[in-house]
Amino acid sequence: MASLNVGNLGEYLREQRRSAQLSLRQLADAAGVSNPYLSQIERGLRKPSAEVLQQVAKALRISAETLYVRAGILDEKERDELETRAVILADPSINERQKQVLLQIYESFRKENGFETPTHPDADTDTDTYDNGSDAGPEQAPHLS
């Protein structure tokens, strides 16, 4: 079987698996994939789907986006943007409205700096979200000083 252009992914997965002190069989079981299939991925013989990569990333406790970049599914710049969004959305110290305002400010800075702003399903980009209506208290109003 000819090697696909996923050797970098396979080598990276092998390194991550070994540093997690997992055998191939243990990782395959934890990720819910077959042992031979995972072996073929590590050897660069198979190109896994995004779903399989997500399962493997979860089992290894690493970023799925990192695996997507290594597999050529996601561009590195897209990964950075997605990870930034994920961190903002996961922050328990700010409420949902504040998260949306922060994401809008982030998007406006990216646009100002010449970066395309891809549409993501978790992003509310309506301008009325930024509206500082009477229902928003002073703690919810963005401060840009």
Short mmCIF file of all heavy atoms in Angstrom, two decimals, residues 86-138:
data_model
loop_
_atom_site.label_atom_id
_atom_site.label_comp_id
_atom_site.label_asym_id
_atom_site.label_seq_id
_atom_site.Cartn_x
_atom_site.Cartn_y
_atom_site.Cartn_z
N ALA A 86 -12.65 29.37 20.96
CA ALA A 86 -13.02 28.32 21.93
C ALA A 86 -12.68 28.75 23.35
O ALA A 86 -13.45 28.50 24.28
CB ALA A 86 -12.31 27.01 21.58
N VAL A 87 -11.53 29.39 23.52
CA VAL A 87 -11.12 29.85 24.85
C VAL A 87 -12.10 30.90 25.36
O VAL A 87 -12.53 30.86 26.52
CB VAL A 87 -9.67 30.39 24.83
CG1 VAL A 87 -9.34 31.14 26.10
CG2 VAL A 87 -8.69 29.26 24.60
N ILE A 88 -12.47 31.82 24.50
CA ILE A 88 -13.43 32.87 24.90
C ILE A 88 -14.76 32.23 25.29
O ILE A 88 -15.33 32.53 26.33
CB ILE A 88 -13.62 33.91 23.78
CG1 ILE A 88 -12.34 34.72 23.59
CG2 ILE A 88 -14.81 34.83 24.08
CD1 ILE A 88 -12.33 35.60 22.34
N LEU A 89 -15.25 31.32 24.44
CA LEU A 89 -16.57 30.71 24.70
C LEU A 89 -16.57 29.81 25.93
O LEU A 89 -17.60 29.61 26.56
CB LEU A 89 -17.02 29.93 23.46
CG LEU A 89 -17.38 30.80 22.26
CD1 LEU A 89 -17.56 29.95 21.01
CD2 LEU A 89 -18.61 31.63 22.54
N ALA A 90 -15.41 29.26 26.29
CA ALA A 90 -15.33 28.35 27.43
C ALA A 90 -15.09 29.06 28.76
O ALA A 90 -15.19 28.45 29.82
CB ALA A 90 -14.22 27.33 27.20
N ASP A 91 -14.80 30.35 28.72
CA ASP A 91 -14.48 31.09 29.95
C ASP A 91 -15.70 31.21 30.86
O ASP A 91 -16.67 31.90 30.51
CB ASP A 91 -13.95 32.47 29.59
CG ASP A 91 -13.39 33.22 30.79
OD1 ASP A 91 -13.77 32.91 31.94
OD2 ASP A 91 -12.56 34.12 30.57
N PRO A 92 -15.66 30.59 32.03
CA PRO A 92 -16.82 30.65 32.93
C PRO A 92 -16.94 31.96 33.69
O PRO A 92 -17.96 32.22 34.32
CB PRO A 92 -16.55 29.50 33.91
CG PRO A 92 -15.06 29.37 33.94
CD PRO A 92 -14.59 29.75 32.56
N SER A 93 -15.92 32.81 33.61
CA SER A 93 -15.95 34.05 34.38
C SER A 93 -16.69 35.18 33.69
O SER A 93 -16.89 36.24 34.30
CB SER A 93 -14.52 34.50 34.72
OG SER A 93 -13.84 34.90 33.54
N ILE A 94 -17.10 34.99 32.45
CA ILE A 94 -17.88 36.02 31.76
C ILE A 94 -19.18 35.41 31.25
O ILE A 94 -19.24 34.21 30.95
CB ILE A 94 -17.08 36.68 30.60
CG1 ILE A 94 -16.60 35.67 29.56
CG2 ILE A 94 -15.90 37.48 31.14
CD1 ILE A 94 -15.88 36.26 28.37
N ASN A 95 -20.21 36.24 31.17
CA ASN A 95 -21.52 35.73 30.76
C ASN A 95 -21.62 35.65 29.23
O ASN A 95 -20.72 36.11 28.52
CB ASN A 95 -22.66 36.57 31.37
CG ASN A 95 -22.69 38.00 30.86
OD1 ASN A 95 -22.44 38.26 29.69
ND2 ASN A 95 -23.01 38.92 31.77
N GLU A 96 -22.70 35.10 28.75
CA GLU A 96 -22.87 34.87 27.31
C GLU A 96 -22.84 36.17 26.50
O GLU A 96 -22.24 36.24 25.44
CB GLU A 96 -24.17 34.10 27.02
CG GLU A 96 -24.12 32.66 27.46
CD GLU A 96 -22.94 31.88 26.89
OE1 GLU A 96 -22.71 31.94 25.66
OE2 GLU A 96 -22.23 31.22 27.66
N ARG A 97 -23.50 37.18 27.00
CA ARG A 97 -23.50 38.48 26.28
C ARG A 97 -22.09 39.03 26.19
O ARG A 97 -21.66 39.52 25.14
CB ARG A 97 -24.43 39.46 26.97
CG ARG A 97 -24.48 40.81 26.27
CD ARG A 97 -25.60 41.68 26.81
NE ARG A 97 -25.56 43.02 26.28
CZ ARG A 97 -26.05 43.36 25.09
NH1 ARG A 97 -26.60 42.45 24.33
NH2 ARG A 97 -25.97 44.62 24.69
N GLN A 98 -21.33 38.97 27.28
CA GLN A 98 -19.95 39.45 27.27
C GLN A 98 -19.10 38.64 26.30
O GLN A 98 -18.24 39.21 25.60
CB GLN A 98 -19.36 39.38 28.68
CG GLN A 98 -20.00 40.37 29.64
CD GLN A 98 -19.65 40.09 31.08
OE1 GLN A 98 -19.40 38.96 31.48
NE2 GLN A 98 -19.66 41.15 31.90
N LYS A 99 -19.33 37.34 26.23
CA LYS A 99 -18.59 36.50 25.29
C LYS A 99 -18.86 36.93 23.86
O LYS A 99 -17.93 37.05 23.05
CB LYS A 99 -18.97 35.03 25.46
CG LYS A 99 -18.47 34.42 26.74
CD LYS A 99 -18.97 33.01 26.92
CE LYS A 99 -18.57 32.47 28.29
NZ LYS A 99 -19.04 31.10 28.50
N GLN A 100 -20.12 37.19 23.54
CA GLN A 100 -20.47 37.60 22.19
C GLN A 100 -19.87 38.96 21.84
O GLN A 100 -19.37 39.17 20.74
CB GLN A 100 -22.00 37.62 22.00
CG GLN A 100 -22.63 36.23 22.05
CD GLN A 100 -22.02 35.27 21.05
OE1 GLN A 100 -21.76 35.62 19.91
NE2 GLN A 100 -21.77 34.05 21.49
N VAL A 101 -19.88 39.89 22.80
CA VAL A 101 -19.29 41.21 22.57
C VAL A 101 -17.79 41.06 22.35
O VAL A 101 -17.23 41.66 21.42
CB VAL A 101 -19.60 42.17 23.75
CG1 VAL A 101 -18.77 43.45 23.64
CG2 VAL A 101 -21.08 42.49 23.80
N LEU A 102 -17.15 40.26 23.16
CA LEU A 102 -15.71 40.04 23.03
C LEU A 102 -15.37 39.41 21.67
O LEU A 102 -14.42 39.82 21.01
CB LEU A 102 -15.20 39.17 24.17
CG LEU A 102 -13.70 38.98 24.30
CD1 LEU A 102 -12.97 40.32 24.34
CD2 LEU A 102 -13.39 38.17 25.54
N LEU A 103 -16.18 38.46 21.24
CA LEU A 103 -15.97 37.85 19.93
C LEU A 103 -16.14 38.87 18.80
O LEU A 103 -15.40 38.86 17.82
CB LEU A 103 -16.91 36.66 19.72
CG LEU A 103 -16.55 35.40 20.49
CD1 LEU A 103 -17.67 34.37 20.36
CD2 LEU A 103 -15.24 34.83 20.03
N GLN A 104 -17.10 39.75 18.94
CA GLN A 104 -17.31 40.78 17.92
C GLN A 104 -16.13 41.75 17.86
O GLN A 104 -15.70 42.16 16.78
CB GLN A 104 -18.60 41.53 18.17
CG GLN A 104 -19.81 40.70 17.83
CD GLN A 104 -21.10 41.44 18.09
OE1 GLN A 104 -21.14 42.41 18.84
NE2 GLN A 104 -22.15 40.99 17.45
N ILE A 105 -15.61 42.10 19.01
CA ILE A 105 -14.44 42.99 19.04
C ILE A 105 -13.25 42.28 18.40
O ILE A 105 -12.54 42.87 17.58
CB ILE A 105 -14.12 43.43 20.49
CG1 ILE A 105 -15.24 44.32 21.03
CG2 ILE A 105 -12.76 44.13 20.57
CD1 ILE A 105 -15.18 44.56 22.52
N TYR A 106 -13.06 41.03 18.75
CA TYR A 106 -11.99 40.22 18.16
C TYR A 106 -12.11 40.17 16.63
O TYR A 106 -11.14 40.40 15.91
CB TYR A 106 -12.04 38.81 18.77
CG TYR A 106 -11.10 37.82 18.14
CD1 TYR A 106 -9.72 37.95 18.30
CD2 TYR A 106 -11.59 36.74 17.42
CE1 TYR A 106 -8.85 37.03 17.73
CE2 TYR A 106 -10.72 35.82 16.85
CZ TYR A 106 -9.36 35.97 17.01
OH TYR A 106 -8.51 35.05 16.45
N GLU A 107 -13.33 39.91 16.15
CA GLU A 107 -13.56 39.86 14.70
C GLU A 107 -13.29 41.21 14.04
O GLU A 107 -12.72 41.27 12.95
CB GLU A 107 -15.00 39.42 14.40
CG GLU A 107 -15.31 37.99 14.77
CD GLU A 107 -14.48 36.96 14.03
OE1 GLU A 107 -14.03 37.25 12.89
OE2 GLU A 107 -14.28 35.88 14.57
N SER A 108 -13.69 42.30 14.71
CA SER A 108 -13.47 43.62 14.12
C SER A 108 -11.98 43.93 14.04
O SER A 108 -11.52 44.51 13.05
CB SER A 108 -14.22 44.70 14.89
OG SER A 108 -13.63 44.93 16.15
N PHE A 109 -11.19 43.54 15.03
CA PHE A 109 -9.75 43.75 14.98
C PHE A 109 -9.13 42.91 13.86
O PHE A 109 -8.25 43.38 13.13
CB PHE A 109 -9.08 43.39 16.31
CG PHE A 109 -9.28 44.42 17.39
CD1 PHE A 109 -9.30 44.03 18.72
CD2 PHE A 109 -9.42 45.77 17.10
CE1 PHE A 109 -9.46 44.96 19.73
CE2 PHE A 109 -9.59 46.71 18.10
CZ PHE A 109 -9.61 46.31 19.42
N ARG A 110 -9.58 41.66 13.70
CA ARG A 110 -9.06 40.80 12.62
C ARG A 110 -9.37 41.43 11.26
O ARG A 110 -8.52 41.48 10.39
CB ARG A 110 -9.66 39.40 12.71
CG ARG A 110 -9.09 38.56 13.83
CD ARG A 110 -9.73 37.19 13.91
NE ARG A 110 -9.77 36.49 12.65
CZ ARG A 110 -8.75 35.80 12.13
NH1 ARG A 110 -7.62 35.71 12.79
NH2 ARG A 110 -8.87 35.20 10.96
N LYS A 111 -10.59 41.93 11.12
CA LYS A 111 -11.00 42.55 9.86
C LYS A 111 -10.18 43.80 9.59
O LYS A 111 -9.71 44.03 8.47
CB LYS A 111 -12.49 42.87 9.92
CG LYS A 111 -13.11 43.20 8.60
CD LYS A 111 -14.61 43.33 8.75
CE LYS A 111 -15.29 43.40 7.41
NZ LYS A 111 -16.73 43.46 7.53
N GLU A 112 -9.98 44.61 10.62
CA GLU A 112 -9.19 45.83 10.50
C GLU A 112 -7.76 45.52 10.07
O GLU A 112 -7.13 46.29 9.34
CB GLU A 112 -9.19 46.55 11.86
CG GLU A 112 -8.46 47.87 11.88
CD GLU A 112 -8.52 48.52 13.25
OE1 GLU A 112 -9.62 48.61 13.83
OE2 GLU A 112 -7.45 48.93 13.74
N ASN A 113 -7.24 44.37 10.52
CA ASN A 113 -5.87 43.97 10.19
C ASN A 113 -5.79 43.16 8.90
O ASN A 113 -4.74 42.60 8.59
CB ASN A 113 -5.26 43.19 11.35
CG ASN A 113 -5.04 44.08 12.56
OD1 ASN A 113 -4.87 45.29 12.43
ND2 ASN A 113 -5.05 43.50 13.73
N GLY A 114 -6.90 43.07 8.16
CA GLY A 114 -6.87 42.44 6.85
C GLY A 114 -7.09 40.95 6.83
O GLY A 114 -6.81 40.30 5.83
N PHE A 115 -7.58 40.36 7.92
CA PHE A 115 -7.85 38.93 7.94
C PHE A 115 -9.31 38.68 7.63
O PHE A 115 -10.19 39.39 8.12
CB PHE A 115 -7.51 38.32 9.30
CG PHE A 115 -6.04 38.29 9.57
CD1 PHE A 115 -5.43 39.29 10.30
CD2 PHE A 115 -5.26 37.25 9.09
CE1 PHE A 115 -4.07 39.27 10.56
CE2 PHE A 115 -3.90 37.21 9.33
CZ PHE A 115 -3.30 38.22 10.06
N GLU A 116 -9.55 37.67 6.82
CA GLU A 116 -10.92 37.26 6.54
C GLU A 116 -11.51 36.71 7.83
O GLU A 116 -10.83 36.08 8.63
CB GLU A 116 -10.96 36.16 5.48
CG GLU A 116 -10.72 36.67 4.09
CD GLU A 116 -11.84 37.58 3.60
OE1 GLU A 116 -13.02 37.24 3.79
OE2 GLU A 116 -11.52 38.63 3.04
N THR A 117 -12.77 36.95 8.03
CA THR A 117 -13.44 36.42 9.21
C THR A 117 -14.43 35.36 8.77
O THR A 117 -15.53 35.67 8.34
CB THR A 117 -14.17 37.53 9.99
OG1 THR A 117 -14.81 38.39 9.06
CG2 THR A 117 -13.24 38.31 10.86
N PRO A 118 -14.02 34.07 8.87
CA PRO A 118 -14.92 32.99 8.47
C PRO A 118 -16.11 32.93 9.41
O PRO A 118 -16.02 33.29 10.57
CB PRO A 118 -14.07 31.74 8.59
CG PRO A 118 -12.95 32.09 9.50
CD PRO A 118 -12.76 33.58 9.39
N THR A 119 -17.23 32.51 8.87
CA THR A 119 -18.44 32.37 9.67
C THR A 119 -18.40 31.05 10.40
O THR A 119 -18.17 30.01 9.80
CB THR A 119 -19.68 32.43 8.76
OG1 THR A 119 -19.61 33.63 8.01
CG2 THR A 119 -20.95 32.40 9.58
N HIS A 120 -18.63 31.11 11.70
CA HIS A 120 -18.67 29.91 12.53
C HIS A 120 -20.05 29.79 13.14
O HIS A 120 -20.67 30.78 13.49
CB HIS A 120 -17.62 30.00 13.65
CG HIS A 120 -16.24 30.03 13.11
ND1 HIS A 120 -15.62 28.93 12.62
CD2 HIS A 120 -15.36 31.06 12.96
CE1 HIS A 120 -14.41 29.26 12.19
NE2 HIS A 120 -14.24 30.55 12.39
N PRO A 121 -20.54 28.56 13.29
CA PRO A 121 -21.88 28.38 13.82
C PRO A 121 -22.06 28.89 15.24
O PRO A 121 -23.14 29.23 15.64
CB PRO A 121 -22.10 26.86 13.76
CG PRO A 121 -20.76 26.26 13.56
CD PRO A 121 -19.89 27.32 12.95
N ASP A 122 -20.96 28.98 16.01
CA ASP A 122 -21.08 29.43 17.39
C ASP A 122 -20.90 30.93 17.53
O ASP A 122 -20.92 31.47 18.61
CB ASP A 122 -20.08 28.69 18.29
CG ASP A 122 -18.65 28.85 17.81
OD1 ASP A 122 -18.44 29.49 16.76
OD2 ASP A 122 -17.75 28.34 18.48
N ALA A 123 -20.73 31.62 16.41
CA ALA A 123 -20.51 33.07 16.47
C ALA A 123 -21.80 33.81 16.13
O ALA A 123 -22.40 33.56 15.11
CB ALA A 123 -19.42 33.47 15.48
N ASP A 124 -22.18 34.71 16.99
CA ASP A 124 -23.33 35.57 16.72
C ASP A 124 -22.76 36.89 16.25
O ASP A 124 -22.28 37.69 17.05
CB ASP A 124 -24.15 35.74 18.00
CG ASP A 124 -25.36 36.62 17.78
OD1 ASP A 124 -25.58 37.06 16.64
OD2 ASP A 124 -26.08 36.87 18.77
N THR A 125 -22.80 37.13 14.94
CA THR A 125 -22.17 38.32 14.41
C THR A 125 -23.16 39.42 14.08
O THR A 125 -22.84 40.36 13.40
CB THR A 125 -21.35 37.98 13.14
OG1 THR A 125 -22.21 37.34 12.22
CG2 THR A 125 -20.16 37.10 13.48
N ASP A 126 -24.39 39.31 14.56
CA ASP A 126 -25.36 40.38 14.35
C ASP A 126 -24.91 41.61 15.11
O ASP A 126 -24.47 41.54 16.24
CB ASP A 126 -26.75 39.96 14.87
CG ASP A 126 -27.36 38.83 14.06
OD1 ASP A 126 -26.91 38.63 12.91
OD2 ASP A 126 -28.26 38.16 14.58
N THR A 127 -25.07 42.75 14.49
CA THR A 127 -24.61 43.98 15.13
C THR A 127 -25.45 44.35 16.34
O THR A 127 -24.97 45.02 17.24
CB THR A 127 -24.62 45.16 14.13
OG1 THR A 127 -25.92 45.24 13.56
CG2 THR A 127 -23.57 44.97 13.06
N ASP A 128 -26.69 43.85 16.42
CA ASP A 128 -27.52 44.22 17.57
C ASP A 128 -27.03 43.55 18.85
O ASP A 128 -27.40 43.97 19.93
CB ASP A 128 -28.99 43.92 17.32
CG ASP A 128 -29.29 42.46 17.10
OD1 ASP A 128 -28.34 41.72 16.78
OD2 ASP A 128 -30.45 42.06 17.23
N THR A 129 -26.18 42.54 18.77
CA THR A 129 -25.62 41.93 19.97
C THR A 129 -24.70 42.92 20.67
O THR A 129 -24.58 42.94 21.87
CB THR A 129 -24.82 40.65 19.62
OG1 THR A 129 -25.67 39.79 18.91
CG2 THR A 129 -24.31 39.96 20.86
N TYR A 130 -24.06 43.79 19.90
CA TYR A 130 -23.15 44.77 20.46
C TYR A 130 -23.91 45.96 21.05
O TYR A 130 -23.38 46.73 21.81
CB TYR A 130 -22.16 45.23 19.38
CG TYR A 130 -21.05 46.08 19.91
CD1 TYR A 130 -20.03 45.50 20.64
CD2 TYR A 130 -21.02 47.45 19.70
CE1 TYR A 130 -19.00 46.27 21.15
CE2 TYR A 130 -20.00 48.22 20.20
CZ TYR A 130 -18.99 47.62 20.92
OH TYR A 130 -17.98 48.37 21.41
N ASP A 131 -25.17 46.07 20.70
CA ASP A 131 -26.03 47.14 21.18
C ASP A 131 -26.03 47.15 22.70
O ASP A 131 -26.29 46.16 23.34
CB ASP A 131 -27.45 46.89 20.64
CG ASP A 131 -28.51 47.78 21.24
OD1 ASP A 131 -28.17 48.70 22.00
OD2 ASP A 131 -29.68 47.54 20.93
N ASN A 132 -25.72 48.29 23.28
CA ASN A 132 -25.69 48.41 24.73
C ASN A 132 -27.05 48.91 25.21
O ASN A 132 -27.19 50.03 25.68
CB ASN A 132 -24.56 49.35 25.17
CG ASN A 132 -24.36 49.31 26.66
OD1 ASN A 132 -24.88 48.42 27.33
ND2 ASN A 132 -23.60 50.25 27.19
N GLY A 133 -28.05 48.06 25.04
CA GLY A 133 -29.42 48.43 25.38
C GLY A 133 -29.63 48.56 26.87
O GLY A 133 -28.77 48.26 27.68
N SER A 134 -30.83 48.97 27.23
CA SER A 134 -31.13 49.22 28.63
C SER A 134 -31.12 47.95 29.46
O SER A 134 -30.97 48.01 30.66
CB SER A 134 -32.50 49.90 28.75
OG SER A 134 -33.48 49.06 28.18
N ASP A 135 -31.24 46.77 28.81
CA ASP A 135 -31.23 45.52 29.57
C ASP A 135 -29.82 45.14 30.02
O ASP A 135 -29.65 44.26 30.82
CB ASP A 135 -31.87 44.38 28.78
CG ASP A 135 -31.14 44.11 27.48
OD1 ASP A 135 -30.53 45.04 26.92
OD2 ASP A 135 -31.18 42.96 27.02
N ALA A 136 -28.79 45.80 29.49
CA ALA A 136 -27.41 45.48 29.86
C ALA A 136 -26.98 46.42 30.98
O ALA A 136 -27.07 47.63 30.86
CB ALA A 136 -26.49 45.65 28.67
N GLY A 137 -26.51 45.82 32.06
CA GLY A 137 -26.00 46.63 33.17
C GLY A 137 -24.61 47.13 32.86
O GLY A 137 -24.00 46.76 31.87
N PRO A 138 -24.06 48.00 33.70
CA PRO A 138 -22.73 48.55 33.45
C PRO A 138 -21.66 47.48 33.42
O PRO A 138 -20.67 47.63 32.73
CB PRO A 138 -22.52 49.52 34.62
CG PRO A 138 -23.59 49.28 35.59
CD PRO A 138 -24.67 48.50 34.91
#
